[in-house]
Amino acid sequence: MSILKTSQKRSQSANAAARDLRASMQGSVLLPSDAAYADARALWNGAVSHQPAPIALCKTTEDVQRAIRAARAHRLPLSVRCGGHDWAGRALCHEGLVIDLSEMRHIEVDPRARVATVAGGAQGGDLIAAATPHGLVTVTGAAGTVGMAGMTLGGGYGPLTPQYGLALDNLLGADVVLADGRIVTADAASNSDLWWALRGGGGTFGVVVSMRIRLHPIKGLLTGLILFPWSEAGSVLQRYADVAASAPDELSVIVGVLPGPDGDPVLLLAPTWTGDPAKGEDRLTELQCLGSPILVTIGSTIPDQMFGIFGTPAAKGCHYAVGTRWLSRLTPDAIAALVSAGTDRTSPLSAIVLHHFHGAPCRVPLGATAFGLRREHFLVIAIAAWDLGPENNGAIHRQWARTLSRALVPSSVPGGYASLLGPNDHDQIALAYGSNINRLRALKRRFDPGDLFASAIPLPEDSTESPPGSCRIGSRAPSVAV
């Protein structure tokens, strides 16, 4: 069948699915001809050009069930959107049906049990805002607009990870709509295999419509920013590597290569201290002494004010591409590669971010969850960001991110953080889940034998799977042009 005929047939199926859903869903259903479609389609990464149809703005679990059944009945590819921050655009399946959870953001906090019940579309900022009045906190990303479900299913690095684990380590249970439309509960007592897979295996097993998340008591935080001039970047990073080698659980530091006021790079250390304030002041003073800071803003805060500290160099709608590596440690060669990349940025909006993985998440056995790396490391994220101009197709910026990723290979742990790997990063995807991959593949066949959730964070290909290509039932996720 020709591409044109296939597209026409899929358009007819999309229209039929939309009619069925509009007659049965509480939420809205959008087609490209609808006025609200453009806003509903917009993602954090403006480079994603996928045009889904329809978009099902689900309000209830029953809406999600109906959308899944409609996708199966009309043989439409399917994707799930929560926060829309996935840089590779996996939230939008081209010419497919999108289950949009953004209107399902309800949160209930049980302060005595220290558990939050979180709807599938809730964002990190929603959860922290609900928990803070009770003196409680949990692990979220550094940006409050990132969806909690997507972050948790993939892993979940954040400022509180060394003290409380990855976001997935705090997932106590979930309600999941499976590919056949059934809803099941997955936790330590029920469907424990599915619960294991949800914690680090990505969104490829079903749609999480509700989660139970562990909360932690916290009286306050010390956090802030320390900016160093770029001329000191190499020496500060080398001294920081020595500090990080003995960092306690209470200390988390996000390292950033960011644009300064004039567009030139600066080196940022963004520490968070969760322990005794007096000891924390000593630790944060030690970080300030790694060089000659040009700006220091350190002080006590409460969790729901923390997100304002970790700003992003570029906003929603800019064009992005990401390269990522796991570093075993900050070696001199790795530091040299980071400094070189910071100096040679092709866009003033581009950035490099490092998370130090240590403490509590390293004490979780590798096989306890699906997450693929449980020893100390640094997660490096090269974020190429640019505004689209008449002569700017993004090629040089994408190449910048790829060049840094390749330069870090000699210092890297095999694989990488699956949530940030693109659909074409086959070599890294193949090793991202480590020894957990065979169990994950078996559970994928059990819970989604038709590969309905093909647009989620990918599992490695095996000899029985079709190669990457168009997003369709039974295929892997599509390539994305950014």
Side-chain angles (χ1 to χ4, degrees):
M1 184 180 293
S2 70
I3 294 176
L4 177 59
K5 288 184 178 179
T6 299
S7 182
Q8 290 173 338
K9 184 175 180 180
R10 186 163 286 174
S11 178
Q12 293 170 355
S13 297
N15 290 333
R19 286 195 299 270
D20 291 350
L21 290 173
R22 282 171 173 166
S24 61
M25 274 182 49
Q26 289 189 34
S28 303
V29 180
L30 301 175
L31 290 169
S33 57
D34 294 317
Y37 176 86
D39 287 341
R41 198 209 69 84
L43 298 178
W44 173 72
N45 186 359
V48 177
S49 59
H50 301 162
Q51 296 291 322
I55 299 175
L57 300 172
C58 298
K59 288 188 174 182
T60 66
T61 295
E62 291 75 18
D63 281 355
V64 174
Q65 292 176 293
R66 292 181 181 108
I68 287 176
R69 289 168 179 149
R72 291 176 61 91
H74 296 281
R75 297 197 56 78
L76 287 171
L78 181 74
S79 64
V80 182
R81 172 176 175 158
C82 181
H85 269 258
D86 175 51
W87 77 271
R90 285 173 281 239
L92 302 181
C93 196
H94 186 61
E95 295 184 342
L97 190 154
V98 174
I99 293 177
D100 188 312
L101 303 178
S102 59
E103 295 187 11
M104 298 174 62
R105 293 173 64 170
H106 182 68
I107 295 172
E108 292 183 3
V109 173
D110 183 339
R112 297 190 65 180
R114 295 176 182 170
V115 174
T117 301
V118 181
Q123 299 176 358
D126 300 330
L127 178 52
I128 294 298
T132 294
H134 303 285
L136 299 170
V137 73
T138 195
V139 177
T140 68
T145 55
V146 173
M148 278 302 301
M151 177 191 178
T152 301
L153 298 180
Y157 293 74
L160 302 181
T161 291
Q163 179 77 314
Y164 303 120
L166 290 164
L168 66 86
D169 294 323
N170 294 280
L171 180 65
L172 300 174
D175 295 332
V176 187
V177 182
L178 301 178
D180 59 8
R182 290 182 299 126
I183 183 168
V184 299
T185 295
D187 56 27
S190 304
N191 294 297
S192 57
D193 278 350
L194 178 58
W195 180 56
W196 178 88
L198 293 177
R199 291 177 296 152
T204 190
F205 300 94
V207 181
V208 172
V209 291
S210 180
M211 300 179 292
R212 269 78 64 199
I213 294 177
R214 180 186 295 111
L215 303 175
H216 305 271
I218 193 164
K219 294 181 179 179
L221 299 167
L222 282 178
T223 190
L225 304 177
I226 309 170
L227 294 184
F228 294 95
W230 190 242
S231 59
E232 297 184 0
S235 59
V236 170
L237 284 173
Q238 186 59 63
R239 295 177 189 127
Y240 167 67
D242 295 335
V243 171
S246 59
D249 294 6
E250 295 89 345
L251 179 63
S252 169
V253 181
I254 296 176
V255 177
V257 178
L258 303 175
D262 58 0
D264 291 335
V266 295
L267 182 69
L268 172 145
L269 300 186
T272 298
W273 177 264
T274 56
D276 177 73
K279 293 181 180 179
E281 290 177 0
D282 291 340
R283 286 285 185 168
L284 271 54
T285 297
E286 181 183 10
L287 293 174
Q288 296 172 44
C289 294
L290 298 179
S292 304
I294 56 178
L295 176 68
V296 177
T297 59
I298 299 291
S300 61
T301 187
I302 57 176
D304 66 353
Q305 296 176 347
M306 187 169 56
F307 294 117
I309 296 169
F310 304 104
T312 55
K316 178 179 178 179
C318 283
H319 286 218
Y320 295 92
V322 170
T324 183
R325 290 287 172 184
W326 278 329
L327 296 184
S328 56
R329 57 193 180 91
L330 281 177
T331 64
D333 287 345
I335 290 171
L338 293 168
V339 173
S340 176
T343 301
D344 296 337
R345 290 177 312 143
T346 54
S347 165
L349 299 175
S350 294
I352 305 169
V353 178
L354 284 76
H355 288 266
H356 183 199
F357 183 99
H358 71 284
C362 295
R363 294 191 287 272
V364 177
L366 179 60
T369 71
F371 193 75
L373 184 64
R374 285 294 185 172
R375 61 184 176 88
E376 184 174 359
H377 63 270
F378 290 87
L379 169 66
V380 180
I381 314 168
I383 308 170
W386 67 97
D387 288 319
L388 190 64
E391 298 180 359
N392 187 352
N393 63 6
I396 61 170
H397 310 303
R398 293 192 296 271
Q399 184 59 47
W400 172 82
R402 286 194 293 265
T403 297
L404 174 56
S405 179
R406 286 197 295 266
L408 292 174
V409 168
S411 303
S412 294
V413 177
Y417 185 28
S419 289
L420 293 177
L421 294 175
N424 296 319
D425 294 327
H426 304 301
D427 291 344
Q428 288 180 267
I429 291 170
L431 300 171
Y433 299 95
S435 58
N436 291 324
I437 185 55
N438 289 334
R439 185 178 178 187
L440 276 171
R441 282 184 175 135
L443 292 172
K444 175 66 171 177
R445 291 190 293 268
R446 174 179 163 190
F447 289 105
D448 184 19
D451 203 14
L452 181 66
F453 302 108
S455 292
I457 298 168
L459 295 178
E461 302 290 342
D462 64 28
S463 59
T464 65
E465 293 178 319
S466 58
S470 61
C471 181
R472 64 184 189 277
I473 293 177
S475 76
R476 304 309 305 157
S479 300
V480 56
V482 295

